[in-house]
Amino acid sequence: MKTVIFPITGMTCATCAATNEKALGDLGFVQDASVNLAAEKATVTYDDGRGRFSDIVNAIASVGYLVPTEKAILEVTDMTCATCVASIEDFVGAMPGVVSINVNLTSGVARVEYVPEVVSLAEVIATVKGLGYGVEVEEGVTAKRRKRSEGIWRLLLAGAFSLPLFVVSMFLDFPGKGWVLLGLATPVQLIAGWTFYNKAFKGLTHGTLGMDLLVVLGTTTAYVYSVYVLFAGAGGHFYFDGAAMIITLVLFGRWLEAGAKGRASAAIEKLLDLAPPTAHRIVDGGTEDVPAETVVPGDTLLVKPGERLPVDGEVTDGVSDVNEAMISGEPLPVRKAEGDTLVGGTVNGSGTLTMRATHVGADTVLARVVRLVEEAQGSKAPVQKLVDKVAGVFVPSVITIAAATFVLWLVIGGRFEPAVYAAVAVLVIACPCAMGLATPTAVTVGTGRGAQLGLLIRDAVNLEVFGRVSVVAFDKTGTITKGEPAVVALAPADGSGAEKLLATAAAVEEKSEHPLAAAIVDAAEEKGIDIPEAEDATAKAGRGIKAVVNGQEVTVGSLRLMAEEGVDIDPINGTIAEWEGKGYTVVAVASDGTAAGLIAVADELKESAAEAVEELRRLGLRTAMLTGDNERAARTVADTVGIAEVKAGLLPADKLTALAELKADGARVAMVGDGINDAPALAAADVGIALGAGTDVAMESAGVVLVSGDLRAVPRAYRLSKKTLRVIKQNLFWAFFYNTAAIPVAAAGLLNPMIAAAAMAFSSVSVVTNALRLRRFE
């Protein structure tokens, strides 16, 4: 039983405390729970063998309250296989105070969420170290590079003794040969190989069985048997060379694997390197070079031709073309002039710009992109759950098979040496390194490459699911169209004049934030029309808005809203049909319940829309349009870009129903929208795809963010997801096939233990190398 005391926020009365106590009491593994409203703390006694602290936190969250937590990123070294990951996640995850832990084998990063009032980060680190792993409380690649350099000396030591050992064992024969072999083998076994013993022992003390234990069992058996033969003068064969070469080859494989995993994570390094270290700050008419991290919002900076922008900002003077490929994936530079936004890390062209800093440090677009990619690389794909389960039972199963192999050889053959030979081969060949690397390496490379192309995939779940979708649904305004609607026609109903109609509508629309409303207000301002003041405005979600203008109740919105308000639009139906046939969006205006006229708004199609839809069709995907616009206008746009299925006149809630209908036959659906009005639909889809632009890259409702806003990025993201999923399947197939096929061969005595060690090491490298092919994705 464990007792923990932790804070709860959001409580205001005794009922809140009682609600939390009931939620905690309903957990079957909680023995006692007491919530103190005044102290805002809970004291809970629970059976940690039946439940975890994370379950307690989730129970509190389920009734609307929060346990304040902190998050930390740790770099964990010396992990070699899926068993290592499972061991760390199991032991740390079971600690009172730890809410979650996610370990990525490829990147060596562990993300921990914990309650500092219950457990300290130092205790978490101590637990990880107690399992036999190194921990660095730092972010970046420094620790990985240092750890890889530390591994070189072990490899060099092992190689320096193993090579002459192999030569002597295989090609020379002289008196006292066994003692020479012992002298050469011992430094390899006990010094270079000490890392295996250390981690295997720590794993055993915590009840975990990993790859290091297999290496230790295999090499120690061969080494000890050889020592016995030497000292007893039994006349048997020496296996010093086999034990030493196994250790050397495993170390060599790990060294290659570390380099390959480093290349897998290279996308993050490249993104971090994009931010320049210095900035030219303008002060008192001159400039001074300052560290970029000292820039604060409001500072005025000078950006010279060819330089990278140090922070996000806004152009205050100058004109230049800026290459934003690092954030959007688009190679063509973008013209920037006064008032335009700038993204830190992008490259200035031939002009000189003066800019005002708006976002710095962790708030910049680049920093947020890096954060999103790191979180994605640290997440787990659904298919990884299968691997984790297999890894949990694999090593114990291998040890059992090796023991059975040894006994069977003794029983059947009656000889000790062949039994040792076969058992050692089984232990070495079966190390599950490749299994553990198969999925996270592909996820790391895939999400990293996506970020370089302007495709931000939030986590491994979205990466995997996107590759399995069969339907892509699009919003219309701001997605298929440019989202820059403009008034193209006016039709007053009472002959009072187009300007009066526009002025009245603009007065009401000034109270709205809808893009169509902005278009009507802009049109009135461009014509120099005086816009009267509107009062008592009431928004009608997804349909329009009502307000009082000059003593009259004015309604502006969709034809659906007019019908709800009982406004007779029959006299202007002919104009409506004509405009909708042209693909215009029709906005109706009524005054005191009588139709006052119509306003036609058109939004230019994106040049990339038709090409994107056609590529999706070639990829075998269905496309649909879900829009709040009228049926005829929506159909005109859909026909233009090649979308067959159209669901029009939808309110935000209706889009959820439409998505459910698209999913009715078991299809997985991706929803593409602008990430603001479409947030509910993006969240409800199997994969939500938001079109971002600059500072909108962190839209919380979407699983995928396409930074450029170019719709051709949709099929590109799908192809990346599909290819990553294919690489994961290839890796898992070969990893499982390799282990299952090789174990019987080794058990039959047909596999030399040294060859088994080499094959095991290179199987891991091959899995990582296969994933690295994703770096060439275009």
Side-chain angles (χ1 to χ4, degrees):
M1 302 299 292
K2 291 283 195 307
T3 298
V4 291
I5 301 173
F6 56 90
I8 300 177
T9 60
M11 296 190 296
T12 57
C13 63
T15 304
C16 300
T19 300
N20 280 299
E21 285 184 353
K22 184 179 185 308
L24 294 170
D26 288 342
L27 296 173
F29 60 90
V30 171
Q31 184 186 67
D32 183 64
S34 174
V35 177
N36 187 313
L37 176 63
E40 293 189 309
K41 288 184 182 292
T43 302
V44 179
T45 300
Y46 69 101
D47 182 350
D48 67 346
R50 297 170 56 203
R52 293 193 168 189
F53 182 78
S54 57
D55 300 320
I56 293 172
V57 173
N58 291 335
I60 291 171
S62 70
V63 291
Y65 302 91
L66 293 175
V67 177
T69 63
E70 291 186 6
K71 295 181 180 180
I73 298 176
L74 306 176
E75 290 206 14
V76 183
T77 55
D78 299 324
M79 293 189 298
T80 56
C81 63
T83 306
C84 301
V85 172
S87 176
I88 296 171
E89 290 183 342
D90 285 345
F91 276 89
V92 175
M95 294 176 69
V98 173
V99 178
S100 67
I101 178 168
N102 196 308
V103 182
N104 185 293
L105 177 61
T106 303
S107 63
V109 169
R111 298 176 182 278
V112 185
E113 184 178 4
Y114 62 102
V115 180
E117 285 83 351
V118 180
V119 66
S120 67
L121 186 59
E123 291 175 289
V124 173
I125 293 171
T127 298
V128 177
K129 288 184 175 179
L131 291 170
Y133 305 98
V135 183
E136 299 288 340
V137 191
E138 56 186 52
E139 210 168 341
V141 296
T142 307
K144 294 189 188 74
R145 289 172 176 166
R146 182 169 66 252
K147 202 64 187 179
R148 192 179 184 219
S149 67
E150 289 175 1
I152 293 176
W153 77 261
R154 292 187 184 278
L155 175 59
L156 292 177
L157 173 66
F161 284 91
S162 294
L163 290 177
L165 172 62
F166 181 75
V167 171
V168 171
S169 178
M170 297 296 294
F171 304 109
L172 300 178
D173 194 12
F174 52 85
K177 174 180 175 179
W179 296 100
V180 173
L181 295 177
L182 174 64
L184 290 171
T186 300
V188 180
Q189 190 73 34
L190 301 182
I191 300 176
W194 180 250
T195 180
F196 301 113
Y197 285 96
N198 183 43
K199 289 169 60 181
F201 175 75
K202 289 185 176 179
L204 284 173
T205 59
H206 289 83
T208 61
L209 309 177
M211 169 193 166
D212 295 281
L213 180 61
L214 297 182
V215 175
V216 166
L217 289 175
T219 60
T220 303
T221 300
Y223 178 82
V224 170
Y225 172 73
S226 300
V227 171
Y228 164 75
V229 170
L230 178 62
F231 279 88
H237 185 77
F238 295 121
Y239 288 99
F240 287 121
D241 56 340
M245 289 302 295
I246 288 171
I247 290 175
T248 303
L249 288 168
V250 173
L251 289 173
F252 180 60
R254 287 189 179 180
W255 184 75
L256 290 178
E257 183 184 302
K261 288 194 292 186
R263 290 192 295 276
S265 303
I268 290 290
E269 296 180 47
K270 290 180 180 178
L271 287 172
L272 290 171
D273 289 341
L274 291 175
T278 59
H280 310 304
R281 185 160 54 197
I282 299 176
V283 288
D284 300 327
T287 61
E288 62 176 4
D289 288 348
V290 298
E293 61 264 24
T294 65
V295 174
V296 297
D299 280 353
T300 301
L301 309 175
L302 181 69
V303 184
K304 299 176 183 178
E307 291 185 332
R308 289 191 180 274
L309 279 68
V311 296
D312 294 356
E314 182 180 278
V315 179
T316 57
D317 188 37
V319 177
S320 184
D321 292 326
V322 176
N323 187 332
E324 297 183 331
M326 52 76 66
I327 200 71
S328 67
E330 299 301 320
L332 296 178
V334 180
R335 175 56 59 95
K336 299 290 184 178
E338 186 176 351
D340 289 337
T341 58
L342 298 169
V343 178
T346 56
V347 182
N348 185 27
S350 58
T352 299
L353 294 174
T354 302
M355 64 177 286
R356 178 177 60 83
T358 56
H359 296 88
V360 300
D363 293 330
T364 64
V365 171
L366 179 59
R368 289 154 66 191
V369 167
V370 170
R371 194 157 58 245
L372 280 174
V373 176
E374 287 179 330
E375 289 173 359
Q377 293 182 343
S379 62
K380 288 190 177 183
V383 71
Q384 182 67 25
K385 295 177 181 178
L386 170 64
V387 179
D388 292 342
K389 289 181 180 179
V390 172
V393 299
F394 194 81
V395 173
S397 300
V398 169
I399 294 174
T400 302
I401 293 171
T405 299
F406 179 76
V407 172
L408 284 173
W409 271 92
L410 280 181
V411 171
I412 297 173
R415 294 176 58 208
F416 190 75
E417 286 190 17
V420 170
Y421 186 93
V424 169
V426 169
L427 290 169
V428 175
I429 196 67
C431 294
C433 307
M435 289 186 199
L437 291 167
T439 300
T441 304
V443 169
T444 296
V445 181
T447 53
R449 181 55 182 156
Q452 293 175 329
L453 297 172
L455 316 173
L456 301 183
I457 302 171
R458 193 171 296 278
D459 54 40
V461 175
N462 283 284
L463 180 67
E464 180 178 328
V465 174
F466 193 11
R468 293 190 168 119
V469 302
S470 56
V471 182
V472 179
F474 293 87
D475 173 48
K476 183 175 81 71
T477 305
T479 302
I480 292 176
T481 64
K482 291 184 176 179
E484 300 170 357
V487 173
V488 293
L490 298 164
D494 56 5
S496 59
E499 288 195 0
K500 181 180 178 183
L501 173 67
L502 187 57
T504 302
V508 178
E509 295 286 38
E510 275 191 319
K511 307 297 183 181
S512 172
E513 296 180 355
H514 195 279
L516 296 181
I520 292 172
V521 174
D522 289 345
E525 291 176 345
E526 287 173 7
K527 293 179 180 294
I529 297 173
D530 289 331
I531 302 175
E533 186 66 29
E535 300 173 340
D536 300 329
T538 304
K540 302 291 183 178
R543 296 165 312 223
I545 188 170
K546 294 174 67 175
V548 176
V549 181
N550 295 328
Q552 294 181 310
E553 186 178 70
V554 178
T555 304
V556 183
S558 65
L559 302 177
R560 181 175 182 172
L561 179 59
M562 295 299 132
E564 290 177 3
E565 297 291 322
V567 177
D568 182 12
I569 58 173
D570 285 344
I572 51 179
N573 264 335
T575 304
I576 293 171
E578 178 188 349
W579 286 357
E580 289 182 346
K582 295 179 179 179
Y584 296 162
T585 298
V586 179
V587 178
V589 183
S591 180
D592 286 337
T594 302
L598 302 170
I599 301 174
V601 180
D603 190 1
E604 189 177 351
L605 290 176
K606 288 182 177 177
E607 295 86 352
S608 60
E611 188 177 336
V613 172
E614 173 59 22
E615 186 174 355
L616 289 172
R617 188 191 63 77
R618 288 199 304 268
L619 290 169
L621 300 174
R622 288 164 50 202
T623 54
M625 179 191 291
L626 309 182
T627 178
D629 210 345
N630 66 80
E631 178 75 31
R632 277 181 287 193
R635 174 57 64 185
T636 299
V637 171
D639 290 344
T640 303
V641 299
I643 294 177
E645 298 179 54
V646 177
K647 296 181 184 295
L650 304 177
L651 298 176
D654 297 332
K655 289 187 178 181
L656 303 184
T657 303
L659 283 172
E661 292 173 356
L662 290 174
K663 294 180 183 181
D665 58 354
R668 287 189 173 94
V669 181
M671 176 69 194
V672 187
D674 62 13
I676 302 171
N677 295 331
D678 299 305
L682 292 174
D686 293 295
V687 179
I689 305 172
L691 302 180
T695 56
D696 290 333
V697 295
M699 295 178 187
E700 292 298 328
S701 53
V704 179
V705 178
L706 310 179
V707 180
S708 68
D710 188 326
L711 286 178
R712 286 171 295 194
V714 176
R716 175 186 276 181
Y718 173 78
R719 287 190 294 106
L720 174 61
S721 177
K722 196 81 172 174
K723 188 167 185 178
T724 304
L725 190 58
R726 186 162 61 247
V727 167
I728 289 173
K729 289 178 178 179
Q730 290 170 349
N731 284 351
L732 288 175
F733 172 78
W734 286 112
F736 281 105
F737 175 80
Y738 165 82
N739 284 114
T740 54
I743 288 176
V745 176
L750 302 176
L751 192 61
N752 186 299
M754 288 188 286
I755 296 176
M760 180 273 293
F762 284 101
S763 69
S764 300
V765 176
S766 65
V767 164
V768 179
T769 303
N770 186 44
L772 287 173
R773 294 188 299 118
L774 291 168
R775 297 170 71 191
R776 299 193 297 270
F777 176 84
E778 295 295 339

